Amino acid sequence: MTVWDDLVGQEKVSEQLTAAARDADALVTAAAADTPPPATSKMTHAWLFTGPPGAGVNRTARAFAAALQCVSPDRALGGVPGCGFCDGCHTALVGTHADVSTVAAVGAQILVDDMRDTVRKSFTSPANGRWQIILVEDAERLNEKSANAVLKAVEEPAPRTVWLLCAPSIEDVLPTIRSRCRHLNLRTPSVDAVADMLVRRDGIEPDVAASVARATQGHVERARRLATDPAARARRAAVLKLPLRVEEVGGALKAAQELVDAASEDAKQLAEQVDGKETEELKAALGAAQGGRMPRGTAGVMKDLEDMQKRRRTRTQRDSLDLALTDLTAFYRDVLALQLGSRVAIANADAEDALERLARSGTPEATLRRIEAIGACREALDRNVAPLLAVEAMTMALRAG
């Protein structure tokens, strides 16, 4: 199983990246032999991967990183880069390769402090692998200072360094950065392709795979999570009941509170899984004495960790809310399709009774206003409006229609 097998519906992109990885071999060989590099090459030092949610942008970039670090003996015999089994592939895919650095937004932005050490590392030679690879998973969240740091590194990269930037669209990245990158745009996989992948790779029953693939409209990770996680299915079911609960003011406000509480619980669960372990590991690294007493001068380091964990909890809550808003948008899209007599396939077939009830009781204009209200809530959350206020405003707008 190669690293490309996880890229659902991205055959054209996989071919381009495989060709680039082959040419990367020639560049490494030329550098080792101190000979001139090939005159033409499909490999370059900076790549920008874009695509809608669920297209697998980050997964594609990581697969390319694995292919560049692949050390399979089959490579010498013309094998495809990215075998998926060698040490280079495995460590790159799971995030433990010494020469693959990953940067992701902990809070709403990637701060310059989060980028500084990574940018410095980008100017060093690979320690073990074939390339020094910097993978930025949320390039659209770079703030002005961190973006300028990346720009300087991309303008004058080290010979064996590759930057892989991921963003929803090319417009989300500074023109000065994207002009120095080779752009690859991914498309949303078809529902059938996602369902087939769930059956083949995860052993999901065909009926369940088809249902979750349709419900998530080709979002690979969400489909996998719905198919394998009962709690995720329960949360989605609760979200899809919300449109029937906003007929009264009290019901609308209660539904908003429950939606925010569920997102907070998601953030709390993640914090319980990760924060304690991170704190103990940092204390051990700083030489905490028996009984937990910290050495002098380390309070600032611990405070930095606490601030980072707080930003991560905030982002987790907002990401959970955004997922719920995505489900709500899909629900009202189905209502609109029924009202207009569209032949578009219904995504939420498991909520067909509720869809038909709302379609009969409202108008297409009202449904469009409700979809706009959900979009306004997302924009408010992006502007750091208090989650409860933003969601309450949305549920009241859903009630008004």
Side-chain angles (χ1 to χ4, degrees):
M1 183 182 68
T2 71
V3 298
W4 312 113
D5 291 342
D6 271 343
L7 309 187
V8 183
Q10 310 299 341
E11 290 78 9
K12 183 177 179 181
V13 170
S14 298
E15 290 174 5
Q16 291 176 277
L17 294 177
T18 300
R22 288 188 185 280
D23 286 355
D25 283 348
L27 294 175
V28 171
T29 301
D34 196 22
T35 58
T40 60
S41 176
K42 295 181 176 64
M43 182 62 188
T44 188
H45 72 284
W47 297 77
L48 173 58
F49 299 85
T50 63
V57 173
N58 291 341
R59 191 185 315 109
T60 300
R62 189 164 293 281
F64 185 40
L68 292 175
Q69 303 290 21
C70 182
V71 292
S72 169
D74 293 340
R75 298 286 297 278
L77 303 175
V80 175
C83 66
F85 295 102
C86 71
D87 184 66
C89 285
H90 176 70
T91 53
L93 290 174
V94 300
T96 59
H97 197 292
D99 295 316
V100 180
S101 301
T102 303
V103 180
V106 174
Q109 296 180 329
I110 298 179
L111 306 179
V112 67
D113 289 343
D114 299 329
M115 286 298 308
R116 188 171 288 119
D117 289 341
T118 304
V119 169
R120 188 179 300 116
K121 185 179 180 181
S122 74
F123 290 104
T124 64
S125 299
N128 300 312
R130 305 161 68 82
W131 297 90
Q132 184 73 259
I133 299 174
I134 311 297
L135 171 56
V136 183
E137 291 190 342
D138 305 286
E140 77 279 8
R141 295 178 186 259
L142 291 165
N143 64 18
E144 183 179 356
K145 291 183 179 179
S146 57
N148 286 335
V150 170
L151 175 60
K152 293 177 182 178
V154 172
E155 281 181 327
E156 300 177 359
R160 296 275 291 280
T161 295
V162 181
W163 283 82
L164 309 178
L165 309 181
C166 303
S169 71
I170 193 170
E171 288 77 16
D172 290 318
V173 180
L174 285 178
T176 47
I177 293 179
R178 69 192 190 216
S179 65
R180 291 165 172 81
C181 299
R182 183 166 299 167
H183 178 220
L184 290 178
N185 186 48
L186 282 68
R187 60 187 181 89
T188 301
S190 69
V191 169
D192 289 342
V194 174
D196 179 66
M197 181 274 296
L198 291 174
V199 172
R200 287 187 297 104
R201 299 294 306 280
D202 298 287
I204 307 299
E205 290 296 324
D207 291 347
V208 175
S211 175
V212 297
R214 184 169 58 249
T216 57
Q217 292 296 286
H219 193 302
V220 178
E221 292 305 321
R222 287 190 59 209
R224 179 180 278 127
R225 187 177 182 189
L226 278 180
T228 58
D229 184 358
R233 292 196 294 273
R235 282 194 293 270
R236 176 176 171 273
V239 169
L240 296 186
K241 292 178 182 178
L242 185 146
L244 299 178
R245 300 177 57 198
V246 298
E247 296 176 354
E248 302 295 334
V249 172
L253 296 179
K254 184 178 180 181
Q257 183 68 65
E258 290 176 359
L259 201 61
V260 173
D261 287 346
S264 298
E265 184 62 26
D266 274 354
K268 180 181 177 182
Q269 289 179 3
L270 177 66
E272 290 175 350
Q273 294 171 5
V274 179
D275 289 4
K277 181 179 179 181
E278 284 180 343
T279 301
E280 292 304 315
E281 288 177 349
L282 181 58
K283 285 182 177 180
L286 294 174
Q290 189 173 5
R293 186 186 296 270
M294 297 296 298
R296 290 184 179 181
T298 60
V301 179
M302 295 301 300
K303 180 64 166 56
D304 288 343
L305 177 63
E306 291 170 3
D307 289 344
M308 183 274 289
Q309 292 172 340
K310 183 178 180 180
R311 297 201 309 272
R312 183 170 60 202
R313 284 193 293 271
T314 299
R315 181 184 174 188
T316 301
Q317 181 186 22
R318 294 183 187 277
D319 286 349
S320 180
L321 277 175
D322 190 69
L323 186 59
L325 297 180
T326 298
D327 287 333
L328 270 180
T329 302
F331 181 92
Y332 281 110
R333 166 196 167 277
D334 286 347
V335 172
L336 185 62
L338 291 175
Q339 290 171 331
L340 297 177
S342 171
R343 295 184 179 180
V344 174
I346 298 300
N348 299 287
D350 51 342
E352 190 170 356
D353 290 344
L355 293 172
E356 291 180 350
R357 174 180 167 182
L358 289 178
R360 289 193 302 267
S361 63
T363 64
E365 292 79 10
T367 302
L368 283 172
R369 286 194 293 271
R370 290 179 171 120
I371 293 174
E372 290 172 354
I374 298 171
C377 180
R378 298 175 100 160
E379 292 176 2
L381 292 172
D382 284 342
R383 296 195 303 270
N384 290 323
V385 173
L388 184 58
L389 290 177
V391 177
E392 283 180 344
M394 179 195 72
T395 55
M396 293 302 291
L398 295 179
R399 175 180 177 272

